[in-house]
Amino acid sequence: MVKAFNRLPISVIPTHYTITLKPDLVGHTFTGQAVVKVDVNEAVKTIVCNVNELEIQSATVVSGTTTMSPTIALNKEEETVTLSCDQELAVGSATVTYNFTGILNDKMRGFYRSKYTIDGVEKFAAVTQFEATDARRAFPCWDEPAVKATFDLTIVGPKDRVILSNMPEIENKDDPVDSTYKVVSFATTPIMSTYLVAIVVGEFDYIEGKSEEGVTVRVYSPIGKKEQGTFALECAVRSLTFYSKFFDVPYPLTKYDMIAIPDFSSGAMENWGLVTYRETCILVDPLNTSQSSKQWVAIVVCHETAHQWFGNLVTMEWWTHLWLNEGFASFMENLTTDVLYPEYKIWDQFVPNTLIEALMLDSLDSSHPIEADVGHPSEVDEIFDNISYNKGASVIRMLYDWIGDAAFKTGMNRYLIKYSYKNTETPQLWAELESASGLPVTSVMKTWTEQMGFPCISVTTQQEVSNRVLTLTQSKFVADGREEGENGSRWQIPISITSSGKEVTKIMMNQELQETMVTLANVSPNDWVKLNPGVVGFYRVNYGSADLARLCDAVKAKSLPAVDRLNILDDLFSLISAGKAKTSDGLRLLESYKEEESYIVWNNISQAIGSLSVVIADQEFYSDWERFVLDLFSGIKKSVKWDPVEGESHLDTLLRALVITRLGKAGDQEVRQEAKRRFDLHASGGAKISPDIRSAVYTCVASMGQEDDYNTMLRLHEEEELHEEKERLARSGLAAFSSKPILAKTLELSLSSSVRSQDSVHMISSVAHNRKGRDLTWQFFKDNFVLLSERYQSGFLLSRLVKSCSAGFLCEEKAREVEQFFTEHPLSGSERNVAQAVETIRLNTAWLTRDQADIANFFKQN
């Protein structure tokens, strides 16, 4: 999928930028000047750098005592500007000046505008989002991560606005041209990549704290909402100190600002010293924020703070190594959140929320290696996905477990010190961890980052007196179940094995050997044996029937830890979807979980239910399936209360919402009626629904499909100011109705002025994931294709929408239709997502064709 692409020439490279920008917050334009000191490495007549959607009014080049006025040539396709001089530039230093204008766009990329309202008056802020390749939309630059330089930034803006950038303000004076404007200059940045530059001009309140090391930390929030930044401030202060000690490398700046932006395409962006956030990822309203949302704020803040070292201080050389940023930050977010907030039990949640999500994507033929070849900028957005983030985090967790905490810390410290303010590729990290641990990190980890996919280990066992002899065979796990044969992919696999009450046995499964024998001593014939205790390894396991039966007994008896209980179920369902087992086997296994109490296990059960619900969405026995779900949840229904119980754990709080949602969707009338009672009270100004179950209540009410309830939710959505609550009402309420005419209204609403562009995609996707909304959403996507592609251009929001709108179908005809549509309407940067959607359709179609009779027979007999 790599397009023809050339990186910028290295004959002329920047060392320092002096940037002045003046945004017009009414006319939505900006003017700017970039004065760039460059090193001329060879005598040339041309200077090439990146520009996108800027107009260059003039440019000058000063080389020695000569000032030149070069010709200016823009290349829209390559996103470059070439200055051509009359004479060659001498080797040495030179200065290039660009004067330019641009548009404060509404695409949430580059230098853009973000709408907010104060006292009923609509206003705009100017905000930047440069990762991956959009600094070039704000000023001419060498917009590649390896071309680092220092920056002096000066921003001219209205006197009544807050103006922020990466570094502390060093001068604030009146604009000599316009007395209503001020000119704010900031301290020189460290050497850094262009994608980390940040600018914000708007109206904000803030709260402030200080880290143990004396770093000033601020959280900026919308006017009147500064107290909602309290929890994020605590997270930031504590995580800065944690990372400084963990890496034994101090945070290199004197301030750390975090700011809530009304319109923001991703969750957050780690700009050095000025991290920008979507409001739901940083603001916590004590009365209206759910515990799951609060947990998410902690995770995102810890993720972005990790980037201040991993990504900002040391940066990947090219986007191929994006995972060095995102995989590590995703691992560290969990490690840090677990230390700061142990009550969240974040490592238990990691398995269903992170590792399994990565396994699902990585089993597809349309997946990609962790180190994915990336060329043209349009391809970069596609790899901000569950491979770079979730698989990256999962293999680092596996590595961390293998080499141990002390060696990991030592290796990370050496890596960060050795490559501070520089760029790296993956092998340089492995070298430091190998040196610190004395283990063959490079040869092992290359097998995980340079090839896509992961292994499935088939286990056969034989009892020899008091010993159990295991034969382990590795092969690539492929979603369609085909075998790769002897020449297929192989891995170096750190394997852990446990059995009833015994010590864990650890081995390294050799890449060169397809088969490995292991003898476990003192294991009786009735003892269970399980691979991958704690689910630290990034692989699946296929047990023989006798071993699986013993593990099922252990699940019922709860003699396995919760994370291992969910692992048994998840591995089996993955084998079912690949045609290696029957769906009826999975349904029988699900019945073993009726007495289950753990949130993380129920979370995984819910994922399995969701997967199978897609496959049988159009079948006559769907109502039998709903009855099965109601019966499965009947035990946990009795123990889960509607209201919080004093002293309950964080995971018990999360379990309540999950159980209510599943019961309501499956048609439990008692649950639906109680949800309706609470909703009516809440909507009429009476007792408020606990924020922890609001999404669940909205879904239950929506599943009943009444238009009056829809209109009430619509009113609440329009009146609501808290972004989190607005999202709950949209995704769990308005998008969850069972009536197609109502869902059509929701789709129309999604593109109206009542819904921010950042939220439209999630709203449309939520309708697409609704069984009743699948066909409607695909048609809506096609009907509005031009509008959507213009609004989101080639960003990852659009890529995700492509997938969610098209992946739910269940026949070859639809697979071909989706392929044909995107052949005729190509979307640059979404090719991989289209391929994944089509592959998913074909996989689910094959699953249904293969097991339709098996499922129907199961329901007839049960």
Side-chain angles (χ1 to χ4, degrees):
M1 295 185 191
V2 179
K3 297 180 184 177
F5 170 76
N6 291 310
R7 287 166 68 168
L8 293 172
I10 57 172
S11 49
V12 180
I13 57 171
T15 58
H16 180 75
Y17 294 83
T18 301
I19 307 290
T20 303
L21 295 173
K22 183 177 181 179
D24 178 347
L25 301 177
V26 178
H28 307 318
T29 60
F30 63 92
T31 58
Q33 182 184 71
V35 180
V36 190
K37 290 182 180 175
V38 298
D39 282 341
V40 180
N41 296 319
E42 58 184 274
V44 290
K45 287 187 175 182
T46 58
I47 299 172
V48 184
C49 75
N50 294 114
V51 156
N52 192 9
E53 296 186 351
L54 296 178
E55 289 189 16
I56 310 293
Q57 268 73 42
S58 63
T60 59
V61 179
V62 177
S63 176
T65 58
T66 306
T67 300
M68 290 170 263
S69 297
T71 59
I72 303 167
L74 294 168
N75 185 323
K76 189 174 180 180
E77 174 62 28
E78 294 292 332
E79 299 180 2
T80 58
V81 59
T82 301
L83 304 184
S84 299
C85 301
D86 290 336
Q87 59 191 74
E88 284 190 339
L89 302 176
V91 171
S93 61
T95 302
V96 189
T97 301
Y98 302 87
N99 294 294
F100 54 91
T101 58
I103 296 168
L104 282 177
N105 68 69
D106 59 356
K107 314 292 184 195
M108 295 180 287
R109 56 197 308 174
F111 201 15
Y112 71 92
R113 63 184 187 266
S114 177
K115 185 170 68 176
Y116 62 98
T117 303
I118 293 181
D119 297 330
V121 178
E122 193 176 272
K123 298 185 177 184
F124 290 90
V127 185
T128 56
Q129 169 57 38
F130 290 163
E131 190 177 30
T133 57
D134 287 318
R136 64 191 69 178
R137 292 175 186 261
F139 53 88
C141 57
W142 282 251
D143 202 10
E144 298 180 357
V147 189
K148 290 189 169 186
T150 52
F151 294 81
D152 282 330
L153 288 154
T154 297
I155 310 301
V156 184
K159 284 184 174 177
D160 61 351
R161 299 296 195 271
V162 172
I163 300 179
L164 300 171
S165 188
N166 305 78
M167 301 299 288
E169 178 185 303
I170 55 171
E171 186 179 53
N172 186 328
K173 61 184 181 182
D174 289 349
D175 182 2
V177 179
D178 185 341
S179 61
T180 65
Y181 274 61
K182 60 185 175 183
V183 180
V184 181
S185 298
F186 298 91
T188 304
T189 70
I191 295 170
M192 59 190 266
S193 303
T194 49
Y195 78 88
L196 294 168
V197 174
I199 300 153
V200 177
V201 181
E203 294 177 83
F204 301 92
D205 283 339
Y206 71 85
I207 55 172
E208 181 177 298
K210 259 195 169 42
S211 75
E212 206 177 281
E213 305 77 35
V215 177
T216 300
V217 183
R218 287 181 177 178
V219 175
Y220 287 84
S221 53
I223 297 290
K225 296 183 180 178
K226 68 179 182 181
E227 299 310 320
Q228 292 181 19
T230 303
F231 179 66
L233 179 66
E234 174 195 302
C235 294
V237 167
R238 295 180 69 193
S239 61
L240 270 179
T241 296
F242 176 82
Y243 288 127
S244 295
K245 291 178 178 178
F246 186 90
F247 297 131
D248 196 18
V249 175
Y251 174 70
L253 308 183
T254 58
K255 64 105 170 169
Y256 186 51
D257 291 340
M258 309 195 301
I259 185 164
I261 303 299
D263 298 286
F264 200 75
S265 61
S266 60
M269 175 61 212
E270 68 266 20
N271 317 295
W272 218 354
L274 176 56
V275 182
T276 43
Y277 287 82
R278 183 180 281 240
E279 289 187 5
T280 50
C281 295
I282 189 171
L283 300 182
V284 171
D285 179 342
L287 296 177
N288 293 293
T289 292
S290 67
Q291 286 301 306
S292 60
S293 296
K294 189 176 180 181
Q295 173 185 298
W296 182 237
V297 169
I299 287 170
V300 177
V301 170
C302 289
H303 180 101
E304 303 309 324
T305 308
H307 273 310
Q308 306 304 303
W309 285 263
F310 241 98
N312 299 7
L313 181 63
V314 180
T315 311
M316 76 259 146
E317 195 278 336
W318 184 247
W319 300 107
T320 295
H321 304 277
L322 172 72
W323 90 281
L324 282 176
N325 282 17
E326 299 304 346
F328 263 85
S330 298
F331 169 74
M332 291 305 301
E333 81 191 21
N334 287 280
L335 186 85
T336 310
T337 302
D338 185 55
V339 171
L340 302 186
Y341 304 100
E343 66 273 18
Y344 291 170
K345 298 196 180 304
I346 215 72
W347 283 123
D348 285 353
Q349 296 187 63
F350 179 89
V351 174
N353 294 345
T354 301
L355 184 141
I356 288 171
E357 292 291 319
L359 289 171
M360 288 169 65
L361 178 56
D362 205 29
S363 66
L364 301 181
D365 287 337
S366 47
S367 180
H368 62 85
I370 283 178
E371 295 178 63
D373 285 334
V374 174
H376 195 274
S378 67
E379 297 170 350
V380 178
D381 283 337
E382 279 202 298
I383 62 166
F384 283 83
D385 63 3
N386 277 346
I387 301 300
S388 297
Y389 284 74
N390 294 6
K391 183 180 179 182
S394 299
V395 299
I396 291 299
R397 177 172 172 250
M398 183 169 65
L399 166 70
Y400 175 81
D401 180 74
W402 173 43
I403 70 173
D405 179 77
F408 185 81
K409 282 180 178 174
T410 300
M412 299 310 301
N413 168 261
R414 291 175 184 172
Y415 172 80
L416 288 167
I417 288 173
K418 187 172 183 177
Y419 298 108
S420 286
Y421 308 105
K422 298 188 179 95
N423 297 79
T424 59
E425 296 180 351
T426 304
Q428 290 161 300
L429 174 63
W430 297 154
E432 297 306 320
L433 291 170
E434 184 162 312
S435 170
S437 66
L439 292 168
V441 171
T442 302
S443 61
V444 170
M445 296 309 293
K446 278 175 69 172
T447 69
W448 295 95
T449 62
E450 293 182 5
Q451 59 182 349
M452 77 179 198
F454 59 89
C456 180
I457 298 170
S458 296
V459 186
T460 57
T461 63
Q462 188 171 336
Q463 192 71 27
E464 295 186 357
V465 194
S466 62
N467 297 337
R468 188 81 57 85
V469 178
L470 282 64
T471 303
L472 311 180
T473 308
Q474 68 158 301
S475 58
K476 183 180 179 183
F477 183 91
V478 185
D480 64 8
R482 72 182 187 279
E483 300 291 343
E484 282 200 333
E486 289 186 11
N487 297 319
S489 305
R490 298 274 186 278
W491 288 261
Q492 292 281 111
I493 315 170
I495 300 276
S496 297
I497 310 167
T498 188
S499 61
S500 313
K502 304 292 190 304
E503 289 289 313
V504 174
T505 299
K506 294 193 173 189
I507 64 162
M508 179 64 71
M509 197 167 180
N510 195 316
Q511 183 183 18
E512 303 303 319
L513 301 176
Q514 191 172 357
E515 193 172 280
T516 301
M517 306 275 287
V518 183
T519 299
L520 301 181
N522 301 317
V523 176
S524 75
N526 295 324
D527 284 347
W528 52 261
V529 170
K530 184 181 182 299
L531 271 67
N532 205 8
V535 199
V536 174
F538 194 75
Y539 55 85
R540 293 201 179 280
V541 183
N542 186 3
Y543 296 97
S545 56
D547 286 305
L548 185 60
R550 283 188 282 266
L551 287 168
C552 288
D553 290 341
V555 166
K556 285 181 186 174
K558 298 195 184 73
S559 54
L560 285 168
V563 72
D564 291 302
R565 297 200 296 274
L566 79 83
N567 183 222
I568 302 298
L569 178 70
D570 186 66
D571 277 350
L572 181 60
F573 260 86
S574 70
L575 292 164
I576 289 166
S577 66
K580 301 284 190 181
K582 288 290 184 187
T583 303
S584 55
D585 296 335
L587 295 172
R588 276 186 283 275
L589 178 59
L590 277 172
E591 292 179 317
S592 303
Y593 291 84
K594 281 187 180 180
E595 303 304 314
E596 184 56 63
E597 297 169 343
S598 164
Y599 164 72
I600 62 164
V601 179
W602 280 110
N603 187 12
N604 190 247
I605 291 169
S606 187
Q607 288 176 340
I609 289 170
S611 297
L612 188 53
S613 294
V614 170
V615 173
I616 63 173
D618 304 323
Q619 300 304 304
E620 288 182 2
F621 52 72
Y622 196 87
S623 57
D624 297 318
W625 165 237
E626 290 183 316
R627 280 193 292 276
F628 177 87
V629 172
L630 291 177
D631 181 61
L632 179 61
F633 276 78
S634 58
I636 195 69
K637 176 187 174 182
K638 292 171 188 169
S639 59
V640 167
K641 309 301 179 193
W642 278 87
D643 296 305
V645 177
E646 189 175 346
E648 73 179 10
S649 72
H650 175 72
L651 295 187
D652 285 343
T653 302
L654 302 186
L655 177 62
R656 176 179 299 110
L658 186 153
V659 171
I660 292 170
T661 300
R662 274 293 164 204
L663 287 167
K665 286 174 79 169
D668 186 304
Q669 292 307 310
E670 183 185 353
V671 167
R672 285 182 170 184
Q673 290 307 318
E674 178 60 14
K676 179 73 166 75
R677 184 187 72 79
R678 289 175 181 249
F679 174 73
D680 288 345
L681 269 174
H682 176 86
S684 60
K688 293 296 176 193
I689 303 167
S690 162
D692 292 314
I693 60 167
R694 274 186 211 169
S695 286
V697 167
Y698 297 156
T699 297
C700 291
V701 172
S703 64
M704 297 158 75
Q706 299 302 306
E707 188 146 11
D708 285 349
D709 292 328
Y710 181 83
N711 291 332
T712 301
M713 284 191 198
L714 196 56
R715 170 179 64 79
L716 293 173
H717 182 266
E718 287 171 357
E719 293 171 354
E720 186 56 54
E721 284 189 13
L722 182 69
H723 188 191
E724 177 189 339
E725 179 66 9
K726 229 176 172 62
E727 279 283 85
R728 268 197 292 259
L729 283 158
R731 294 159 75 170
S732 301
L734 299 173
F737 277 77
S738 54
S739 156
K740 290 186 177 181
I742 286 178
L743 291 176
K745 287 184 186 179
T746 299
L747 289 170
E748 291 302 325
L749 175 70
S750 70
L751 295 182
S752 74
S753 58
S754 299
V755 177
R756 291 184 182 273
S757 291
Q758 65 171 11
D759 302 324
S760 301
V761 166
H762 301 301
M763 199 168 181
I764 297 167
S765 296
S766 296
V767 179
H769 293 140
N770 181 335
R771 178 168 158 251
K772 300 290 188 180
R774 181 194 66 194
D775 296 15
L776 281 174
T777 311
W778 173 236
Q779 190 59 50
F780 180 81
F781 178 87
K782 292 188 292 182
D783 292 344
N784 291 277
F785 177 79
V786 173
L787 186 156
L788 288 164
S789 56
E790 286 177 356
R791 178 188 279 198
Y792 298 107
Q793 297 187 343
S794 62
F796 62 85
L797 278 176
L798 184 59
S799 290
R800 290 176 186 179
L801 187 61
V802 163
K803 200 167 169 181
S804 59
C805 285
S806 58
F809 293 112
L810 292 157
C811 64
E812 177 58 27
E813 181 187 354
K814 281 294 186 182
R816 286 198 295 267
E817 180 187 322
V818 171
E819 273 182 323
Q820 184 64 28
F821 180 82
F822 288 108
T823 299
E824 294 171 1
H825 304 84
L827 271 177
S828 181
S830 293
E831 295 88 350
R832 198 187 302 273
N833 282 278
V834 172
Q836 289 169 359
V838 171
E839 186 176 355
T840 300
I841 294 170
R842 289 184 169 134
L843 288 168
N844 284 337
T845 301
W847 183 357
L848 179 63
T849 303
R850 195 170 55 237
D851 278 9
Q852 186 176 24
D854 174 63
I855 301 168
N857 287 336
F858 176 87
F859 289 132
K860 280 178 188 172
Q861 295 165 14
N862 290 273

